[in-house]
Amino acid sequence: MYDWAVLEAWIEFAVRWTHVITAVAWIGSSFYFIALDLGLRKSPDLPPGAYGEEWQVHGGGFYHVQKYLVAPDRLPDHLIWFKWESYATWLSGFALLVLVYYLGAELYLVDPAVADLAVWQAVLVSLASLGFGWLAYDTICKSRFGDDNTRLMLLLYVILVAMAWGYTQVFSGRAALLHLGAFTATIMSANVFMVIMPNQRIVVADLKAGRVPDPKYGRIAKQRSTHNNYLTLPVLFLMLSNHYPLAFATQYNWIIASLVFLMGVTIRHYFNSRHAGKGNPTWTWAVTAVLFLIIAWLSTAPMGVQQPEARLQGTALTYASAPGFDEVTGIVQGRCAMCHAAEPGWPGMLWPPKGVVLETPAQIAHEARRIYLQAGVSHAMPPANLSYIEPQEREAIVRWFQGAGRGAGVEG
């Protein structure tokens, strides 16, 4: 039978790739339309109802684009709706959240040193927080407070900072930053699904019925689109952060996340200003650089590397009890622990790669699947085989992992 751990890894890879592809499509179209909207120009020969136009050149051809604040007098039959990029990005991202953080909660989601939660409790908190984020944000947007967009965005930032801190009080550092990204991405995708698209459907229905659409639907959609524009870059950072312990494995990770949202504003302000023809605010890059240096400085604070040796439970206990574990422990400690240590012995390495520590038997048991895939099935670790791990040692790792899986009834 096919090795389930390998199949699971490829399923995760496929979902992650899908997530990246759809995110590229969504972000690309979003950035394009923001730039297009800000670059619109008035001209004396615009059709009735047209707000502005822009000429563009790409791929050897010229494009003439016109924008109507409400809609033209006659709606063409061929109307393209930009929505599936957003939906597919969120759905694939949520699937990845389930595969990595819910199914691997003991390793990636729950940190007993932070909050001693059962897996079902941690998953429930995760789901509830995503729903809360959208409901709170949408309610504020629809209130009188939301009439002032600057005031609204300041409050949104305060909420995001509070959630950044809150997540670090519940989940592991890695999961906390990832969830902050999912929290924000849920707001962005729900903006499209719950507000922007319904408003556009109302406008289209009015036009088809011969009614004059209310311009308020366009204004509301524009507000939500603007929010998405400023939130995009921080979400990208947070989604990538789980690969960099310097971002998530420090006691100041929530402050780092908060500063990342400010960097998203400064970077987008530069491009938005340029596209709108409102100057060249290069000062934003200086502010961005300062913020980044502060983040780098904060990352050198004591690293909150997880220490799962506190207890063995669930799957980790299965692998620690499997035949060959003592042999594998010796192999890993001899071939891997010089880098994967709380204080790595490899020259120039300050922290363990990916925050993975493999010094004790308990830590090795907790990382069984990674060890199996990275050093057993594949030869990804050690890099360039710098510690000279032997083929028979890799075979021992495979025998141990697969034997534990069969004993637990999970191996194919």
Side-chain angles (χ1 to χ4, degrees):
M1 297 291 289
Y2 195 78
D3 191 330
W4 170 246
V6 175
L7 180 60
E8 186 180 26
W10 276 109
I11 291 174
E12 181 185 318
F13 192 178
V15 174
R16 190 180 299 274
W17 191 24
T18 301
H19 186 52
V20 170
I21 292 171
T22 55
V24 168
W26 183 19
I27 295 169
S29 62
S30 174
F31 280 7
Y32 170 75
F33 279 105
I34 288 291
L36 175 63
D37 194 60
L38 292 172
L40 292 171
R41 300 291 184 268
K42 301 284 188 180
S43 67
D45 56 346
L46 283 174
Y51 171 76
E53 66 178 1
E54 187 169 51
W55 284 87
Q56 300 178 347
V57 59
H58 180 74
F62 293 88
Y63 298 82
H64 183 202
V65 185
Q66 296 177 334
K67 178 180 179 178
Y68 294 79
L69 286 180
V70 179
D73 295 333
R74 183 187 65 82
L75 192 66
D77 294 330
H78 183 63
L79 183 63
I80 298 176
W81 297 70
F82 289 86
K83 55 182 180 179
W84 293 111
E85 300 93 334
S86 169
Y87 302 164
T89 299
W90 190 89
L91 289 172
S92 59
F94 183 74
L96 202 57
L97 181 67
V98 172
L99 287 172
V100 177
Y101 289 89
Y102 292 176
L103 297 183
E106 289 183 355
L107 184 60
Y108 298 121
L109 184 60
V110 177
D111 183 350
V114 176
D116 195 5
L117 301 175
V119 170
W120 70 267
Q121 292 173 322
V123 172
L124 186 61
V125 170
S126 170
L127 293 171
S129 69
L130 299 183
F132 161 78
W134 165 248
L135 292 175
Y137 164 79
D138 187 56
T139 300
I140 296 171
C141 286
K142 292 177 178 177
S143 69
R144 288 188 177 181
F145 190 90
D147 292 340
D148 185 326
N149 200 40
T150 300
R151 181 175 61 188
L152 175 61
M153 293 188 73
L154 288 174
L155 179 59
L156 176 58
Y157 177 69
V158 172
I159 292 174
L160 290 170
V161 173
M163 290 304 300
W165 178 84
Y167 276 132
T168 61
Q169 306 307 301
V170 180
F171 299 138
S172 67
R174 170 176 173 161
L177 264 61
L178 189 284
H179 270 77
L180 184 61
F183 178 93
T184 310
T186 299
I187 290 175
M188 295 171 62
S189 192
N191 272 338
V192 178
F193 183 70
M194 303 292 289
V195 178
I196 297 174
M197 293 307 301
N199 284 9
Q200 290 178 343
R201 291 191 185 98
I202 292 173
V203 171
V204 170
D206 285 342
L207 287 168
K208 290 182 176 179
R211 299 186 295 266
V212 177
D214 191 332
K216 74 175 184 179
Y217 296 110
R219 290 196 299 270
I220 294 172
K222 176 67 179 300
Q223 180 191 57
R224 303 300 181 99
S225 180
T226 300
H227 294 171
N228 283 5
N229 175 40
Y230 282 103
L231 293 174
T232 299
L233 295 181
V235 168
L236 287 176
F237 181 99
L238 294 169
M239 293 305 179
L240 292 172
S241 69
N242 65 94
H243 297 286
Y244 295 92
L246 282 171
F248 70 77
T250 166
Q251 61 180 322
Y252 299 118
N253 48 12
W254 69 275
I255 300 178
I256 288 174
S258 302
L259 295 178
V260 166
F261 281 102
L262 295 181
M263 286 202 300
V265 171
T266 56
I267 294 172
R268 289 309 301 162
H269 179 71
Y270 173 81
F271 286 104
N272 292 342
S273 299
R274 288 294 303 266
H275 293 318
K278 295 181 178 179
N280 183 28
T282 53
W283 60 268
T284 60
W285 292 111
V287 174
T288 303
V290 170
L291 290 172
F292 192 82
L293 289 174
I294 294 174
I295 288 173
W297 174 69
L298 288 172
S299 72
T300 62
M303 301 292 287
V305 177
Q306 297 177 1
Q307 300 294 335
E309 71 273 17
R311 65 178 181 180
L312 277 170
Q313 60 177 355
T315 305
L317 184 58
T318 299
Y319 289 112
S321 305
F325 179 64
D326 290 340
E327 180 184 3
V328 169
T329 297
I331 293 170
V332 173
Q333 289 175 335
R335 305 296 190 183
C336 310
M338 73 285 292
C339 294
H340 290 283
E343 296 181 4
W346 193 267
M349 186 174 291
L350 301 179
W351 298 282
K354 307 293 185 184
V356 176
V357 179
L358 301 173
E359 293 182 297
T360 69
Q363 292 167 337
I364 292 169
H366 274 275
E367 297 289 354
R369 183 174 178 273
R370 273 183 172 175
I371 294 168
Y372 169 65
L373 293 174
Q374 299 286 340
V377 175
S378 75
H379 294 183
M381 291 290 153
N385 201 22
L386 289 174
S387 61
Y388 305 106
I389 187 169
E390 299 291 343
Q392 58 267 30
E393 292 176 320
R394 296 189 190 275
E395 292 171 4
I397 291 172
V398 171
R399 284 196 306 272
W400 158 68
F401 184 89
Q402 293 183 345
R406 283 190 292 271
V410 298
E411 188 68 26

